[in-house]
Amino acid sequence: MKKTIITALAVASLLVCSNHATAKDNFFEPVAKNSLRLPSVPLLVSDPYFSVWSASDNLMDKTSEHWCSEARPLIGALRVDGKVYRFLGMDKLALESVVPMTDEVLWEGAVMRSKPSGDWQSLNYDDSQWKRETAAFGSKGEYPRVNSPWGGNNTDIYVRRTFNVDDVDNFGDLYFVYSHDDDFDIYLNGEKLVGGGGWGLGFKHKLTPEQKKLLKKGKNVIAAHVHNGSGGAYLDMGLFKEKTGTVRFDTPAVQKSCTVMATSTYYTFACGPVELDLVFTAPQLYDNLDLLSTPINYISYQVRATDKKSHDVQIYFETTPEMGVREESQSTKASAFSKNGINYAMGGTINQPICDRAGDQICIDWGYMYVAGREGLNRKVGLGDYYKMKKDFINNGTIEAGGEDVVTHNSRLYPAMSYCEDLGTVSKANAESGYMMVGYDDVYSIKYLYKLRKGYWAHDGKVSITDAFEKLSANYSNIMNACRKVDAEIYGDGLKAGGVKYAELLAGSYRQVMSAHKLFTDEDGNLLWFSKENNSNGSVNTVDLTYPSAPLFLAYNPELQKAMMTSIFEYSRSGRWTKPFAAHDMGTYPIANGQTYNGDMPVEESGNMVILAAAIAKAEGNADYAHKYWDIITQWTDYLVENGLDPTNQLCTDDFAGHWAHNANLSVKAVMGVQAYAELAKMQGMNDVAAKYAAKAKEMADKWKEMAADGDHYRLAFDRPDTWSQKYNMVWDVMWNTGLFGDVPATELKYYLTKQNTYGLPLDCRREYSKNDWIMWTAAMADDLATFQALTDPVHKYVNETTSRVPISDWHHTDSGQWVSFRARSVIGGYWMQVLKDKTRKK
């Protein structure tokens, strides 16, 4: 382990900070200006599960959410001279049922499983021949309260639910609430209310005035059709009205700025006569494994007057046990307690199904969410009724501390887990500041080779979550300064390597990359840094995610790069993986018992692993890591020699764009893999071996140029004339100065500049979409800044302007700037390729 990595003991020895941040600390001013508008802004992030984002221009315009778009609600409000301004999140709707869903009543509907004849959506349709079945409908075991199983690929269900209304004139706002999987259309008395695709639970549709008029006194009918394409199936639905007399933070603050740096997000708000500075900090320091892995974030705040008067100010934050559920039907328990000078509110599910369900786009439903604040006369942490907490803050500027345990079996009854501080008198000359902490203890993080493993920070159970909170509280100032140092380094390296827009991209991407991983150790003490393949199938530690994300880790901490590769090497060494090439993955997150992907990528993954082993050696100045696995690396390299030049019908990482055999860019990877082996052999003093494989790599590269030549550029596939593609794998040839491909990179770059669209260079000639991580690799092949920026500035424009409000998607349309799919993935660590090239060449 590098000596620069600070251990838990070193963290514990840092100086204790004061109760408040001070003006001298300057924690509320970003180290640089970043004008990039991220499509979704990181708020609280640590790993693929503890991940909360703001997908709107203003922090108070929308409920915060997990990267997969499930609600993860945070609320913040500032009370100034008795008036309350909401600066964070949206208040939860207070709904009561008119037509209840299955969490209240197991309702019955008329059901058909084939398309009915006639106007089946209408109120007076005769459904007497339909079956009567009890909701909910769908995949039992996958969705809650399924009483009538239904599913299968390309199947349909039609449901009519009748209900009576006595007084249609006394309803206020009405909401249709529904859960569905997959495509659906829902009608009220024959008129369509809502429809669409996808899947999820608890969607809400506010009825328009025209739709409310569809309700009749007496009998009414809700009719639904759901089509299940594949996988899980589900339907539940109901009608709700908003409760009267509920307490909310109605007045929004005015957001003045939002700046995202590597470890922190900075906001400033106008709240009447004062301004609030708000900073969300994830101390994900690349060279401090304890802090990197500790699932605790800071929320820092500072208030100052903008006039010449003094003002009485209090601040309030809140979340709920919803942070720890996968489905709204899950029962929760929340508690409040104090320990060693810190007050806590915590909440999670009752049944705690630890690492029970693997898959993509699902939220954690084990472990516990924590809200924490230091003890003090003016600071309180409380647990209580969702609306009473707000009422107390609005009326009195405080909340009741502590609170009795709260058990809920209905998501509409979640308690508030709240933090409040009375900042006292604030003036222009006397700003007041403070901080709170939010964390998530998953208890166990990963099931690796059939055994549950804790996060690295816990040190096999020697460190508890309260221990971790105490360390972060005691060392607040030092940690915040260390975060600012990383912010400056990430931005500064980007600025030097590629200019302002490149620096802004790196600053806005860092936490997304880090938070797509989980850090832990195996039973032998090997460090493991497992990615989750977010929004692209949920695989854990996928090699063709490790490869594109590598530049960030190679540039700043190769120990993390090794930690993504060690399990793949050990998988082969153990005999569990017996094929002569590298595995694709280690399972489906969070269960890592071995490859689950249905298909191999032999040249792709073997080339990835060998190239990255050489890149680690060049970063560290020795081949010690590769030497440990030399027999396996040799086997994989020999596979590349035999099968890599013309990879016939092999799969590759870009096959989402359509599989073509004889892929020229995949062949480049094989060539560079053989050259990488030669580089490693040379570093170990194996000069004869190095010469042999270097000659083979040169021979393969020369043949490649003949096979791929297509006039003024080179082909996408050897057997497809008049095609082109990005040859991003050649970046290693440029970076290492191995010269295998001669002037091919320069020729390709010149051609690419003629193929760009508004939002970037397409992946290849077949479609207008692209992978922007590969664009950044391709751009790094350029030897001049102008060409680099010509290729990367459109990526900045895409991130800044896209209407797809998700954490940066690496797969986007270069004409419209909208995402295709994939979000919150680690692969945008590839944005650091230009920085890595600069650092490598200096060495």
Side-chain angles (χ1 to χ4, degrees):
M1 198 71 65
K2 280 192 168 182
K3 292 182 180 179
T4 53
I5 296 172
I6 302 175
T7 65
L9 292 175
V11 170
S13 69
L14 294 172
L15 296 175
V16 176
C17 71
S18 63
N19 281 340
H20 287 268
T22 67
K24 182 179 178 181
D25 292 320
N26 198 27
F27 296 153
F28 301 96
E29 184 73 27
V31 298
K33 182 180 179 181
N34 188 348
S35 61
L36 179 65
R37 182 237 57 175
L38 290 179
S40 190
V41 176
L43 301 179
L44 305 174
V45 292
S46 178
D47 58 42
Y49 285 137
F50 183 27
S51 184
V52 183
W53 301 72
S54 173
S56 57
D57 286 338
N58 295 305
L59 188 58
M60 76 295 294
D61 284 351
K62 186 179 179 183
T63 298
S64 50
E65 61 190 37
H66 185 261
W67 60 258
C68 73
S69 299
E70 292 288 337
R72 286 295 177 261
L74 298 169
I75 292 178
L78 194 72
R79 187 175 184 265
V80 183
D81 300 329
K83 183 173 181 178
V84 176
Y85 301 86
R86 175 175 45 82
F87 59 81
L88 167 60
M90 297 281 287
D91 284 305
K92 181 174 70 175
L93 284 170
L95 300 179
E96 57 185 351
S97 59
V98 177
V99 183
M101 296 175 71
T102 57
D103 58 345
E104 294 184 65
V105 174
L106 298 180
W107 56 271
E108 186 179 84
V111 178
M112 284 281 285
R113 294 168 192 266
S114 58
K115 186 174 182 179
S117 59
D119 191 15
W120 62 273
Q121 310 96 325
S122 66
L123 175 62
N124 297 316
Y125 181 81
D126 180 9
D127 60 17
S128 60
Q129 300 303 307
W130 293 31
K131 290 183 179 180
R132 264 54 186 175
E133 299 184 23
T134 302
F137 311 92
S139 304
K140 206 157 192 172
E142 186 167 351
Y143 282 108
R145 300 177 296 277
V146 172
N147 289 285
S148 297
W150 157 68
N153 295 345
N154 293 313
T155 57
D156 297 85
I157 193 167
Y158 298 81
V159 178
R160 288 172 52 85
R161 182 182 185 184
T162 58
F163 61 96
N164 290 305
V165 173
D166 295 329
D167 188 353
V168 297
D169 297 322
N170 287 333
F171 289 127
D173 289 334
L174 286 173
Y175 292 84
F176 185 73
V177 183
Y178 57 98
S179 301
H180 69 96
D181 187 355
D182 291 309
D183 302 340
F184 72 102
D185 293 291
I186 298 175
Y187 305 82
L188 174 60
N189 293 334
E191 297 294 327
K192 187 172 178 178
L193 288 181
V194 64
W199 55 273
L201 303 175
F203 294 105
K204 298 175 180 68
H205 169 74
K206 184 177 181 179
L207 270 63
T208 65
E210 292 74 21
Q211 289 174 333
K212 282 180 63 178
K213 291 177 184 177
L214 297 172
L215 282 171
K216 304 178 184 299
K217 185 175 182 179
K219 180 182 175 183
N220 294 265
V221 65
I222 299 171
H225 166 225
V226 182
H227 172 79
N228 186 55
S230 61
Y234 195 60
L235 173 63
D236 190 12
M237 56 189 181
L239 188 65
F240 294 78
K241 63 181 180 180
E242 190 167 6
K243 290 181 181 179
T244 58
T246 56
V247 178
R248 296 189 299 195
F249 299 141
D250 287 325
T251 303
V254 176
Q255 184 173 308
K256 299 185 70 176
S257 65
C258 173
T259 299
V260 180
M261 301 307 293
T263 67
S264 296
T265 298
Y266 297 79
Y267 287 98
T268 296
F269 303 91
C271 301
V274 304
E275 282 189 347
L276 166 67
D277 297 318
L278 188 68
V279 185
F280 295 88
T281 301
Q284 295 178 314
L285 309 183
Y286 62 78
D287 59 352
N288 184 324
L289 300 187
D290 277 298
L291 286 177
L292 173 61
S293 62
T294 298
I296 298 172
N297 284 199
Y298 296 118
I299 303 178
S300 306
Y301 46 87
Q302 174 180 262
V303 182
R304 60 188 180 279
T306 56
D307 58 16
K308 297 181 180 180
K309 299 179 181 179
S310 296
H311 302 279
D312 187 45
V313 176
Q314 299 84 35
I315 196 165
Y316 174 96
F317 292 93
E318 165 197 293
T319 188
T320 76
E322 187 174 358
M323 284 284 192
V325 303
R326 180 170 60 85
E327 299 171 351
E328 289 187 346
S329 62
Q330 291 178 291
S331 298
T332 65
K333 181 179 179 179
S335 305
F337 66 96
S338 298
K339 185 177 180 181
N340 294 337
I342 298 179
N343 297 320
Y344 300 91
M346 60 174 286
T349 59
I350 290 176
N351 62 333
Q352 290 292 300
I354 294 175
C355 296
D356 183 61
R357 183 183 178 192
D360 194 8
Q361 299 195 70
I362 57 175
C363 294
I364 195 169
D365 59 356
W366 73 90
Y368 301 94
M369 182 72 178
Y370 287 80
V371 171
R374 297 152 296 138
E375 289 181 350
L377 290 175
N378 298 323
R379 290 185 294 273
K380 294 182 180 179
V381 175
L383 173 68
D385 179 81
Y386 185 85
Y387 298 103
K388 184 178 184 301
M389 285 287 197
K390 295 177 182 60
K391 184 177 181 181
D392 288 348
F393 182 73
I394 291 171
N395 292 338
N396 306 313
T398 189
I399 60 173
E400 186 175 342
E404 299 294 323
D405 290 358
V406 179
V407 174
T408 59
H409 305 289
N410 187 313
S411 63
R412 289 186 287 278
L413 300 177
Y414 286 145
M417 300 159 56
S418 303
Y419 169 91
C420 176
E421 180 173 6
D422 185 351
L423 293 170
T425 300
V426 171
S427 66
K428 201 166 190 177
N430 181 39
E432 290 292 338
S433 62
Y435 71 92
M436 63 171 293
M437 297 172 288
V438 181
Y440 199 101
D441 180 12
D442 57 12
V443 184
Y444 288 97
S445 304
I446 293 278
K447 184 179 286 185
Y448 178 57
L449 299 181
Y450 304 94
K451 295 182 180 179
L452 292 171
R453 302 299 300 166
K454 288 181 176 289
Y456 178 89
W457 65 272
H459 296 282
D460 290 323
K462 297 181 181 69
V463 178
S464 70
I465 191 65
T466 54
D467 292 336
F469 272 109
E470 289 166 25
K471 290 175 184 176
L472 265 75
S473 179
N475 298 289
Y476 170 76
S477 287
N478 287 356
I479 292 171
M480 289 292 287
N481 280 320
C483 288
R484 291 174 63 80
K485 183 179 178 181
V486 169
D487 290 351
E489 182 179 17
I490 295 297
Y491 187 90
D493 285 351
L495 185 65
K496 188 175 181 180
V500 171
K501 290 181 179 179
Y502 181 55
E504 290 183 342
L505 278 172
L506 300 190
S509 304
Y510 181 86
R511 273 175 287 164
Q512 174 171 321
V513 181
M514 293 298 190
S515 302
H517 296 83
K518 194 71 182 183
L519 189 68
F520 66 104
T521 59
D522 65 15
E523 286 190 320
D524 296 323
N526 291 314
L527 187 68
L528 302 176
W529 177 236
F530 277 12
S531 64
K532 179 178 181 180
E533 197 168 333
N534 292 340
N535 198 203
S536 53
N537 80 351
S539 288
V540 58
N541 204 35
T542 304
V543 175
D544 55 292
L545 263 70
T546 296
Y547 181 69
S549 69
L552 188 155
F553 307 112
L554 290 168
Y556 294 107
N557 189 353
E559 294 296 330
L560 293 173
Q561 186 61 49
K562 297 175 192 176
M564 290 189 281
M565 298 167 63
T566 295
S567 67
I568 300 296
F569 282 126
E570 293 291 339
Y571 191 26
S572 286
R573 172 171 284 178
S574 69
R576 285 188 171 101
W577 180 258
T578 59
K579 298 177 182 180
F581 45 79
H584 171 271
D585 61 77
M586 283 303 299
T588 303
Y589 202 91
I591 300 173
N593 294 332
Q595 180 170 314
T596 53
Y597 185 72
N598 186 25
D600 295 326
M601 297 184 180
V603 171
E604 176 72 42
E605 311 301 18
S606 298
N608 291 341
M609 291 291 290
V610 179
I611 290 169
L612 292 177
I616 289 170
K618 289 180 179 292
E620 295 190 324
N622 65 75
D624 293 351
Y625 181 71
H627 185 74
K628 288 171 57 179
Y629 301 108
W630 192 243
D631 56 336
I632 299 170
I633 292 173
T634 299
Q635 182 184 41
W636 293 345
T637 303
D638 287 342
Y639 184 91
L640 296 175
V641 170
E642 292 298 321
N643 301 279
L645 176 59
D646 186 0
T648 58
N649 206 35
Q650 291 214 11
L651 296 176
C652 76
T653 191
D654 296 331
D655 278 346
F656 58 84
H659 174 65
W660 278 15
H662 314 291
N663 186 298
N665 188 49
L666 182 59
S667 176
V668 172
K669 181 170 291 183
V671 175
M672 291 312 305
V674 176
Q675 181 63 40
Y677 184 82
E679 300 286 312
L680 287 167
K682 184 178 180 180
M683 294 179 76
Q684 296 175 84
M686 303 176 184
N687 294 329
D688 291 345
V689 174
K692 174 184 175 182
Y693 282 87
K696 174 54 70 172
K698 184 66 170 66
E699 175 189 327
M700 293 170 72
D702 289 343
K703 289 181 179 178
W704 184 96
K705 286 186 278 189
E706 294 176 8
M707 296 162 64
D710 202 32
D712 59 351
H713 65 281
Y714 294 83
R715 298 176 182 180
L716 162 60
F718 294 134
D719 61 339
R720 306 253 187 169
D722 300 319
T723 62
W724 66 271
S725 66
Q726 292 188 46
K727 309 300 190 302
Y728 53 81
N729 286 311
M730 284 186 190
V731 71
W732 304 108
D733 192 33
V734 174
M735 186 187 308
W736 296 344
N737 292 315
T738 44
L740 294 174
F741 290 94
D743 61 359
V744 173
T747 300
E748 287 287 272
L749 288 168
K750 182 179 179 181
Y751 185 78
Y752 297 154
L753 293 175
T754 70
K755 297 297 180 181
Q756 290 213 100
N757 290 323
T758 303
Y759 295 104
L761 176 68
L763 181 64
D764 58 45
C765 59
R766 291 174 290 180
R767 293 285 299 273
E768 66 359 284
Y769 57 56
S770 193
K771 289 282 274 81
N772 48 66
D773 52 331
W774 294 144
I775 292 176
M776 305 301 277
W777 282 47
T778 295
M781 296 193 303
D783 282 329
D784 62 289
L785 184 60
T787 301
F788 174 80
Q789 291 180 336
L791 289 163
T792 59
D793 282 0
V795 176
H796 181 281
K797 183 178 178 67
Y798 151 68
V799 172
N800 194 56
E801 297 181 2
T802 181
T803 58
S804 302
R805 304 309 295 262
V806 297
I808 296 174
S809 170
D810 52 286
W811 186 13
H812 77 278
H813 294 285
T814 62
D815 52 359
S816 68
Q818 294 181 324
W819 75 316
V820 182
S821 187
F822 303 167
R823 56 182 154 176
R825 301 206 313 162
S826 63
V827 300
I828 64 170
Y831 288 7
W832 273 261
M833 183 56 87
Q834 181 79 347
V835 170
L836 176 63
K837 185 179 78 171
D838 280 6
K839 289 179 179 288
T840 301
R841 285 185 164 179
K842 286 178 182 177
K843 289 182 180 180

